[in-house]
């Protein structure tokens, strides 16, 4: 093997090792998610319960409550991580996230309005309202971001941020005038995967899969888009179509995640940055890496929320917001981000 081939093989081995390490960390996080909570369970009991050999209360808690919760966390974390990577790619803004496009606020406003007007009481009843609100907010941000027929990434982010502020204000107004709606919606608005079962997740699986496929498909084009619109167009890339496809992926991924678990912040922002630190800026590696980083961050935050206030727990959306604020400040001060 020549020296050039050796130099090329070394980074490849490093990336594979990083992905394997991340996957092992995610497996450990899954085991901890099944074992820890208000009542801790031994790892051996977890294995017995998963393979049908366990009986008793611990086995019922694992298979009936913690396993569905963990599966929901895996799906939601992966969706938010992928959505964050795609939206940062199409806007060329490392501080962009699904929240920036007003997706979380759109879903929240739709759910609160549905609870207020239709007297809904269960997540499975308003999950489609959340998805519709997220999609409508993203489409409105898309309309605000268009200039002379093309999608302007700066206008897109600014329009989404303004929309987010407006929708949050409207949502707060509805909650202020209806105590019943506040009591019903505040748990979902906090962002949580507790008490979420597969009946809530299953309807969203097709949209999650389609969004992930679109995100993987445009990953090479996002590398070209990072060179700038003029350079990308000179290389023959249809910039407007790629951005539109990216927006579709973000709507499907983030909309589904928010519909299932509520508006969980900072996962979509933090996961891509965590992957970039170890794998670089290549979207062909960044997007697959977010499939690991997103669930890892979400399940870790969920475990922290279970342990800090036992026997009660803190919703995962509150934990991610508490930990994500310092992260945002650090990222904003980095030279590479500026």
């Amino acid at each position: 093997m020549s020296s050039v081939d050796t130099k090329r093989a070394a980074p490849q081995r490093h990336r594979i090792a990083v992905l394997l390490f991340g996957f092992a960390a995610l497996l450990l996080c899954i085991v901890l998610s099944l074992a820890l909570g208000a009542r801790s369970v031994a790892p051996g009991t977890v294995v017995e319960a998963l393979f049908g050999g366990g009986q008793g209360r611990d086995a019922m808690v694992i298979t009936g409550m913690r396993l569905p919760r963990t599966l929901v966390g895996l799906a939601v974390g992966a969706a938010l991580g992928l959505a964050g990577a795609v939206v940062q790619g199409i806007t060329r803004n490392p501080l962009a996230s699904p929240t920036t496009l007003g997706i979380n606020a759109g879903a929240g406003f739709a759910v609160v309005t549905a609870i207020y007007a239709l007297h809904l009481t269960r997540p499975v009843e308003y999950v489609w309202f959340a998805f519709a609100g997220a999609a409508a907010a993203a489409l409105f941000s898309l309309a605000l971001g268009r200039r002379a027929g093309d999608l302007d990434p700066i206008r897109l982010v600014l329009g989404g941020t303004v929309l987010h502020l407006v929708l949050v204000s409207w949502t707060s107004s509805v909650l202020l005038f209806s105590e019943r709606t506040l009591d019903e919606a505040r748990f979902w608005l906090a962002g949580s995967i507790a008490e979420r079962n597969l009946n809530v997740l299953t309807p969203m699986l097709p949209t999650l899969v389609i969004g992930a496929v679109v995100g993987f498909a445009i990953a090479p084009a996002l590398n070209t888009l990072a060179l700038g619109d003029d350079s990308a167009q000179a290389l023959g890339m249809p910039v407007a179509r790629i951005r539109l496809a990216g927006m579709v992926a973000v709507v499907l991924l983030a909309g589904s995640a928010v519909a299932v678990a509520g508006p969980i912040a900072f996962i979509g922002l933090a996961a891509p940055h965590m992957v970039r630190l170890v794998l670089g800026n290549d979207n062909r590696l960044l997007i697959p890496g977010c499939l690991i980083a997103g669930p890892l961050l979400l399940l870790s935050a969920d475990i922290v929320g279970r342990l800090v206030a036992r026997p009660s727990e803190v919703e995962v959306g509150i934990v991610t917001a508490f930990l994500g604020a310092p992260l945002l400040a650090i990222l904003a001060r980095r030279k590479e981000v500026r």
Side-chain angles (χ1 to χ4, degrees):
M1 181 180 293
S2 66
S3 60
V4 174
D5 292 334
T6 303
K7 291 179 180 179
R8 290 177 178 175
Q12 185 68 19
R13 289 196 297 267
H14 168 73
R15 291 165 181 166
I16 294 174
V18 168
L19 289 174
L20 290 176
F21 178 79
F23 186 71
L26 180 59
L27 289 178
L28 175 61
C29 204
I30 291 172
V31 173
L32 293 176
S33 178
L34 296 173
L36 299 177
R39 178 185 176 90
S40 298
V41 179
T45 305
V46 172
V47 175
E48 291 179 0
L50 292 178
F51 289 95
Q55 296 180 349
R57 182 180 178 184
D58 289 342
M60 292 180 61
V61 168
I62 292 170
T63 58
M65 298 176 60
R66 293 183 184 173
L67 181 58
R69 178 175 183 166
T70 301
L71 292 176
V72 169
L74 288 171
V76 170
L80 292 175
L82 284 175
V86 172
V87 76
Q88 290 175 13
I90 63 175
T91 61
R92 298 200 307 273
N93 184 346
L95 296 181
S97 70
T99 303
T100 308
L101 301 183
I103 290 176
N104 287 3
F109 177 70
V111 167
V112 168
T113 303
I115 292 175
Y116 175 76
L118 303 177
H119 302 281
L120 305 181
T121 58
R122 295 182 301 162
V124 71
E125 294 176 340
Y126 49 73
V127 61
W128 287 108
F129 288 96
F131 183 80
L139 292 175
F140 193 74
S141 296
L142 184 65
L144 292 175
R146 297 188 70 83
R147 183 176 63 179
D150 294 328
L151 191 62
D152 188 324
I154 297 178
R155 289 171 63 96
L156 177 64
V157 172
L158 291 176
T161 301
V162 172
L163 180 63
H164 171 83
L165 296 174
V166 171
L167 290 175
V168 167
S169 299
W170 288 353
T171 302
S172 301
S173 299
V174 175
L175 295 175
L176 182 64
F177 286 106
S178 175
E179 184 176 352
R180 179 195 63 81
T181 304
L182 174 61
D183 291 337
E184 185 62 42
R186 61 184 175 184
F187 180 73
W188 183 87
L189 288 172
S192 176
I193 58 175
E195 300 181 10
R196 298 295 193 271
N197 54 45
L198 299 183
N199 292 332
V200 179
L201 176 63
T202 302
M204 295 289 104
L205 286 179
T207 57
L208 288 172
V209 172
I210 295 172
V213 170
V214 174
F216 273 83
I218 66 172
L222 293 180
N223 287 340
T224 306
L225 190 61
L227 300 175
D229 288 5
D230 294 338
S231 298
Q233 289 174 348
L235 294 172
M237 194 189 80
V239 173
R241 293 181 183 178
I242 294 301
R243 282 212 173 95
L244 182 60
M247 283 294 297
V248 170
V250 172
V251 169
L252 294 176
L253 290 167
S256 300
V258 174
V260 171
I264 298 175
F266 290 106
I267 299 295
L269 171 66
H273 284 282
M274 191 169 94
V275 177
R276 285 191 186 96
L277 288 175
V278 292
L279 294 180
N281 294 317
D282 189 345
N283 284 282
R284 293 171 297 179
L285 296 172
L286 177 64
I287 289 180
C290 287
L291 284 177
I292 297 175
L296 182 61
L297 288 173
L298 183 60
L299 289 180
S300 298
D302 187 49
I303 293 170
V304 170
R306 298 186 213 177
L307 299 180
V308 294
R310 285 201 298 183
S312 183
E313 63 180 66
V314 179
E315 284 76 8
V316 65
I318 297 175
V319 176
T320 58
F322 181 79
L323 299 177
L327 172 66
L328 180 61
I330 293 172
L331 291 176
R333 291 181 59 86
R334 287 182 58 191
K335 179 180 179 181
E336 294 84 353
V337 171
R338 293 196 297 270

